Amino acid sequence: MEERKMRWYGGCAPSSRHASVPVGARLLWSDPALWVCGGWERAQVKTVELGSARIAVLGPCSASERDLARALSAPDLATVARSWVGSHTVVRTTAPSRVEVLADTGAASPLYTVSTPDGVVWGSSSFALSPLAGGNVDTRWLAAYLLDKHAPASGRSAWSGVSPVPAGHLLTLDAEGGPSFTSWWRPTRRTPREASAALRRALGEGVRVRVEGLSATTDLAGMDSTTVALLAAQYGPITGVTVHPAGVSSGGDMQYAQALAIPGLTRAPFPLYARHLPFTATDVVLPATDEPAPSTAVWSMFSDQLGTMVAAGSVCHLTGDGGDNLFLSTPAHLASLARTGNWVRMLGDARDWARLRRQSPRPLIAAALRGNAARIGRSDFGRPRWLAAPAPRVSAPTGPNANMALVAELRTVARSAYSEIQLADALGVALHNPYFDGAVLDAVVSAPIEQRYSARRYKPMLADTFADLLPDAHRRRAAKGLMVGDFHLGLRVNRRRVLGLADGRLAALGLITPVPLRATIQAAALGAETIWPPLLSVLAAEVWLEAIERAPGTEWTQAAAAPAGAQ
């Protein structure tokens, strides 16, 4: 399967006298430069110009041309654009000396900056920007990733000299100096009815702007992906893909998929064979991405699934990723209940959660009294024995605010999931994760605690909001299948290959010690109880380093880019 050119966008600060532009970019406008790279659907690159004022929206967005024209002259860009649904970046040039770049709330469309001798360059891919800063991996970021991939190093990306733009911030660039960042988003409060209406609009519109008029597929498994599939079917024919073990045609996800019969939805089972086991080698080369992709261990399965979609004519695939993070979160609200003195509710909820997990409620109650919402109910894996490098300071929220804990978690997961989008792009499929949209996050955190958290009901806010759409059986479903056994088996079958990763690039960088890593791999292959997250992270990082070493990288020039309209 042929790998395609990376799809991303970026621009320069007004002060750039000799603007750095990627070779082969399509220039949307110059002075200052704004470009897109790779193949983009026309609907996902919207521009409006009026004299010297220009505005662009890059990525799936519900805004119309009239909305863009209104935002073009608005005193505050964020006030107008915050109601737009989707996952996108808004860029406005109000004068030749000022550029505003609005980073989305959920970090699903991450942005980065790099300083060059000719001025600041920003873009949606840290890997593409990295040659402007020397093209070196940031080993301190990588050390933090190996320690805990959900606790990123503060102010760093996977590439030295390439800095992330904080989600929910406005990046302002002018001719006077470096970039400035202003927070433009904060959670609002809504009644249960208002929050459900906001969620309904955000997710429904987010799906519509992605699939309308296209040949598209969706995952069809748990409640999250089923909801997306049902929404997508309202805008044209859709194919729901259900992954299942070969030879097993009933039970689990298949049972619920087979029970779903609505106009416009075609069910497509995707059977898994031995060649799809985790860690299995495949002829499809892993593409280079901004950072290690979560699906690296199952690339043999994921790449085959993407290839099957392309062969069937699909150009767009929607997932249910992010739904668990939003609607099946940890009991972080216990800290808020303790802070407000709602002791009866706090103790009752702690007992319910502990009973569900078959554990004592005391650790939950103690954590709630300490007031650190981000750590309540979370497993502490400790430092992996194989990690040799010190990890830098990480950005982790503290305090009893359950909303901020949820926002920080979702942003980290959404940024990581962007590498999945890059993998799919490389194979010709536009992958979308509507649950990571900023408007969806805004709707969820605006809801009262009692609407969102429950140890007695599964994802109550999602189930209630789409009660008229989801069949009863799907709303009552309480869990979905796990693949832990597949990982043990895949490691056993591919043990020699995986052991070869233990003494590779990470070891050469001084980040890991191979001997304890090999011991952990051997034990997991034999079926020993395994803490999978840190093991999967170190293996994904090793394979990622190989992929970026193999990739040619982005070439830059100070010459003019291709004129608008060129591909």
Side-chain angles (χ1 to χ4, degrees):
M1 189 181 302
E2 182 182 354
E3 184 175 332
R4 301 193 179 189
K5 185 176 179 181
M6 178 182 286
R7 191 165 61 100
W8 67 288
Y9 49 81
C12 295
S15 59
S16 303
R17 291 179 298 174
H18 304 288
S20 297
V21 176
V23 172
R26 175 162 66 97
L27 199 64
L28 299 180
W29 58 62
S30 58
D31 189 29
L34 177 69
W35 62 78
V36 294
C37 294
W40 285 84
E41 292 287 338
R42 184 181 299 274
Q44 294 187 23
V45 180
K46 303 175 182 178
T47 61
V48 170
E49 300 185 38
L50 183 61
S52 61
R54 297 162 294 190
I55 189 168
V57 178
L58 307 170
C61 181
S62 63
S64 65
E65 187 170 322
R66 179 178 296 182
D67 293 328
L68 266 64
R70 186 163 65 94
L72 192 59
S73 58
D76 180 24
L77 176 62
T79 300
V80 178
R82 71 172 297 146
S83 64
W84 300 347
V85 171
S87 176
H88 50 264
T89 298
V90 185
V91 187
R92 183 172 74 168
T93 302
T94 52
S97 60
R98 181 181 175 85
V99 175
E100 297 170 298
V101 185
L102 201 68
D104 80 343
T105 304
S109 296
L111 297 177
Y112 303 90
T113 64
V114 61
S115 295
T116 75
D118 295 311
V120 174
V121 180
W122 66 271
S124 62
S125 168
S126 58
F127 176 49
L129 292 175
S130 64
L132 295 175
N136 298 314
V137 171
D138 188 329
T139 54
R140 290 179 62 79
W141 180 93
L142 198 50
Y145 171 87
L146 295 174
L147 179 63
D148 183 354
K149 71 175 184 178
H150 293 302
S154 303
R156 294 177 177 271
S157 77
W159 298 91
S160 295
V162 182
S163 303
V165 176
H169 280 63
L170 176 70
L171 164 65
T172 303
L173 301 165
D174 56 37
E176 301 301 321
S180 64
F181 305 97
T182 307
S183 176
W184 66 266
W185 177 83
R186 60 176 52 88
T188 57
R189 291 186 178 182
R190 296 184 175 99
T191 66
R193 183 186 295 271
E194 292 170 340
S196 282
L199 175 59
R200 184 99 182 198
R201 173 183 176 272
L203 190 59
E205 278 290 282
V207 169
R208 181 190 66 79
V209 299
R210 289 169 164 98
V211 304
E212 199 168 35
L214 297 178
S215 175
T217 57
T218 71
D219 290 340
L220 190 58
M223 186 188 293
D224 310 315
S225 58
T226 298
T227 303
V228 168
L230 293 172
L231 289 170
Q234 297 177 353
Y235 303 104
I238 199 82
T239 300
V241 181
T242 302
V243 175
H244 68 96
V248 178
S249 59
S250 61
D253 291 338
M254 286 294 290
Q255 172 187 340
Y256 289 91
Q258 290 165 349
L260 202 62
I262 62 168
L265 176 65
T266 300
R267 298 185 300 270
F270 183 81
L272 298 179
Y273 298 94
R275 68 176 186 274
H276 296 131
L277 282 172
F279 314 110
T280 300
T282 174
D283 292 337
V284 182
V285 176
L286 183 75
T289 53
D290 285 354
E291 60 184 74
S295 67
T296 300
V298 293
W299 177 238
S300 58
M301 177 193 74
F302 188 37
S303 60
D304 196 10
Q305 187 178 357
L306 293 172
T308 301
M309 294 173 190
V310 171
S314 175
V315 297
C316 170
H317 182 76
L318 275 61
T319 82
D321 291 354
D324 285 349
N325 304 96
L326 285 172
F327 304 112
L328 194 62
S329 51
T330 61
H333 71 295
L334 297 178
S336 299
L337 294 173
R339 180 189 59 179
T340 58
N342 194 342
W343 306 112
V344 174
R345 170 76 190 274
M346 189 272 284
L347 293 172
D349 281 8
R351 284 195 298 267
D352 286 343
W353 279 93
R355 188 179 301 114
L356 186 67
R357 300 179 179 200
R358 298 180 181 179
Q359 65 183 44
S360 169
R362 292 182 180 179
L364 294 175
I365 295 171
L369 295 175
R370 287 194 298 270
N372 189 350
R375 299 308 307 171
I376 293 179
R378 297 197 177 281
S379 301
D380 186 359
F381 301 125
R383 184 182 177 86
R385 293 184 300 140
W386 57 79
L387 184 59
R393 185 175 62 89
V394 300
S395 55
T398 59
N401 193 319
N403 281 341
M404 289 299 96
L406 174 60
V407 169
E409 175 193 359
L410 191 86
R411 284 174 171 173
T412 300
V413 177
R415 187 213 68 242
S416 177
Y418 188 73
S419 59
E420 305 281 275
I421 293 175
Q422 293 177 318
L423 291 179
D425 271 348
L427 300 189
V429 177
L431 185 73
H432 297 284
N433 306 308
Y435 285 106
F436 289 133
D437 287 359
V440 174
L441 174 61
D442 181 80
V444 172
V445 298
S446 74
I449 283 178
E450 58 271 15
Q451 187 179 3
R452 294 156 45 194
Y453 294 94
S454 176
R456 299 172 180 171
R457 293 186 61 206
Y458 185 69
K459 302 183 179 180
M461 186 176 184
L462 183 64
D464 291 343
T465 298
F466 295 97
D468 62 320
L469 196 64
L470 286 164
D472 288 344
H474 290 75
R475 287 191 291 115
R476 291 196 302 266
R477 189 179 184 186
K480 57 186 177 183
L482 300 175
M483 294 180 62
V484 173
D486 291 339
F487 279 90
H488 282 292
L489 178 58
L491 202 53
R492 186 178 309 129
V493 171
N494 299 288
R495 178 169 52 181
R496 179 175 298 179
R497 175 174 179 264
V498 177
L499 284 171
L501 300 175
D503 195 4
R505 293 163 180 81
L506 289 171
L509 290 170
L511 293 174
I512 68 163
T513 303
V515 173
L517 178 56
R518 285 198 202 96
T520 301
I521 294 171
Q522 292 276 23
L526 294 174
E529 185 174 350
T530 302
I531 301 176
W532 284 104
L535 180 57
L536 293 177
S537 292
V538 72
L539 297 177
E542 182 65 37
V543 176
W544 173 72
L545 288 172
E546 179 184 357
I548 61 175
E549 185 179 284
R550 185 176 57 236
T554 300
E555 294 183 52
W556 292 80
T557 181
Q558 290 184 335
Q567 294 293 332

